[in-house]
Amino acid sequence: MEQPVKILVTGSNGQLGSELRQYAGLPGMIFDFTERATLQLTNEADVREYMEQVRPQYVINGAAYTAVDKAEETGAQEEAEAVNARAVGYLAKACTAVGAKLVHISTDYVFDGTASQSYKPSDHPNPVSVYGATKLKGEELAERYTDAVILRTAWVYSSFGKNFVKTMIRLMAEKPVINVVADQYGSPTYAADLAAAIISIIQSGKWVRGIYHYTNEGETSWYEFAGAIRELIHSTCMINPIPTADYPTPARRPAYSVLDKTGIKETYGIIIPAWRESLEKCISKLQP
Ligand SMILES: NC(=O)c1ccc[n+]([C@@H]2O[C@H](COP(=O)([O-])OP(=O)(O)OC[C@H]3O[C@@H](n4cnc5c(N)ncnc54)[C@H](OP(=O)(O)O)[C@@H]3O)[C@@H](O)[C@H]2O)c1
């Protein structure tokens, strides 16, 4: 009998991490779900020691500093850099040391959003926020120190954690009218689909290092996305489309960040659900 594959997951209490937890008990895989309390990623010696003890075959790095606006504050920049950049280097080095393969998660925010057609993994990154810049450094360190598979994703939501979908459901229950930005375009990603794609990559037994893009299929604006949520929860709340200029935030966001997913489909044969279908699945979990 073949030995089960040992997989270490970081950020196990986050949106993606929680979706990955649903795979615990899957035949052929043994998971070690870590969180800040069990594995502090910003300590290089801890990371190295932990990896030497567990000796996983795969590491899925779902941990990140994801407070995009807070990361713009002077005090928070250092933490964002420590988690999103330096810690990725520590993990990547430890992966190489123990012979583990690293699946690292990155973001559409590495792009500036000035494109008019979907971004390919090879397109020039140019982050316009601290979060985006730290995530780009993380990608570079992952690639420098190990044979990583880097998955850039976008607009992530789940029934776990905090996200746009859950915020909209709450606001639509509280208010008769809400304003939603209508001039930022991208593709939502149901974290459960991203988790399934990662599991498929591992199960494929193939390993082609590089940067890949993964979001749900199709593109939309935050306004249109909110409209789909409204429809699915049968809310009567009015949604007012507003320009980004009327909703100033500390961090700049790309106006257009649709990602080209050809690479992951062709290399790993991943079938990607359309964003509306996945939204429906998530909402039926939240409101059975
Ligand atoms: N959310 C999005 O819209 C989005 C979009 C594009 C890309 N991504 C990327 O997708 C990945 C998963 O995102 P997500 O939405 O699942 O994130 P999330 O829900 O914010 O979870 C991130 C997790 O990382 C953990 N973490 C932070 N600092 C840590 C440290 N020093 N040591 C150990 N753990 C630490 C957090 O723990 P605590 O709870 O203890 O802080 C949290 O559980 C990330 O790489 C993110 O950058 C997300």
Side-chain angles (χ1 to χ4, degrees):
M1 268 235 328
E2 265 186 47
Q3 289 288 315
V5 180
K6 201 187 262 187
I7 304 167
L8 188 155
V9 180
T10 68
S12 301
N13 292 336
Q15 299 191 77
L16 174 62
S18 301
E19 297 289 359
L20 284 165
R21 279 186 192 272
Q22 310 309 304
Y23 289 88
L26 189 74
M29 293 187 174
I30 296 178
F31 289 91
D32 183 29
F33 293 106
T34 70
E35 53 203 70
R36 194 190 291 268
T38 44
L39 176 57
Q40 173 53 262
L41 293 169
T42 52
N43 184 316
E44 183 165 20
D46 282 2
V47 171
R48 178 72 179 249
E49 244 170 66
Y50 194 90
M51 288 279 286
E52 276 169 358
Q53 255 175 36
V54 177
R55 301 195 83 81
Q57 275 105 35
Y58 291 88
V59 173
I60 304 171
N61 185 26
Y65 186 97
T66 56
V68 176
D69 287 316
K70 194 150 183 266
E72 299 293 317
E73 293 170 16
T74 325
Q77 287 191 4
E78 164 54 28
E79 196 189 340
E81 177 97 20
V83 182
N84 294 347
R86 290 197 299 276
V88 183
Y90 306 155
L91 263 181
K93 281 189 205 168
C95 280
T96 299
V98 304
K101 295 182 167 79
L102 175 64
V103 179
H104 174 63
I105 315 301
S106 192
T107 172
D108 56 327
Y109 285 12
V110 299
F111 295 116
D112 60 17
T114 54
S116 49
Q117 56 181 21
S118 57
Y119 282 101
K120 294 189 175 61
S122 57
D123 283 340
H124 181 65
N126 182 32
V128 293
S129 63
V130 169
Y131 168 76
T134 58
K135 291 292 290 183
L136 179 61
K137 280 191 195 165
E139 290 184 0
E140 290 162 359
L141 291 168
E143 288 196 298
R144 184 182 314 163
Y145 292 118
T146 199
D147 284 343
V149 161
I150 296 169
L151 301 181
R152 289 190 187 131
T153 186
W155 296 25
V156 178
Y157 66 91
S158 161
S159 56
F160 304 102
K162 276 194 228 157
N163 53 62
F164 181 80
V165 174
K166 287 167 85 174
T167 304
M168 285 298 119
I169 293 176
R170 179 175 50 78
L171 290 178
M172 284 175 195
E174 285 169 7
K175 297 176 179 234
V177 185
I178 57 171
N179 294 335
V180 180
V181 169
D183 57 359
Q184 282 174 31
Y185 300 89
S187 311
T189 306
Y190 184 22
D193 294 338
L194 176 59
I198 296 170
I199 297 296
S200 297
I201 289 175
I202 294 175
Q203 283 175 331
S204 76
K206 258 196 200 175
W207 192 256
V208 187
R209 68 174 291 172
I211 300 178
Y212 299 87
H213 288 166
Y214 184 95
T215 63
N216 280 123
E217 290 286 11
E219 53 182 271
T220 186
S221 66
W222 290 112
Y223 168 70
E224 207 190 312
F225 190 26
I229 297 166
R230 176 184 183 271
E231 218 177 282
L232 288 165
I233 64 169
H234 310 292
S235 163
T236 52
C237 175
M238 287 254 302
I239 310 175
N240 212 1
I242 57 161
T244 302
D246 289 357
Y247 188 74
T249 51
R252 265 182 70 198
R253 275 132 173 107
Y256 174 91
S257 67
V258 176
L259 302 177
D260 181 317
K261 302 172 290 289
T262 311
I264 197 164
K265 291 193 266 191
E266 288 185 350
T267 308
Y268 289 106
I270 306 285
I271 294 163
I272 307 179
W275 70 261
R276 258 175 200 272
E277 276 169 36
S278 292
L279 176 64
E280 203 170 334
K281 276 192 196 146
C282 180
I283 286 183
S284 61
K285 245 184 118 176
L286 287 167
Q287 303 197 327

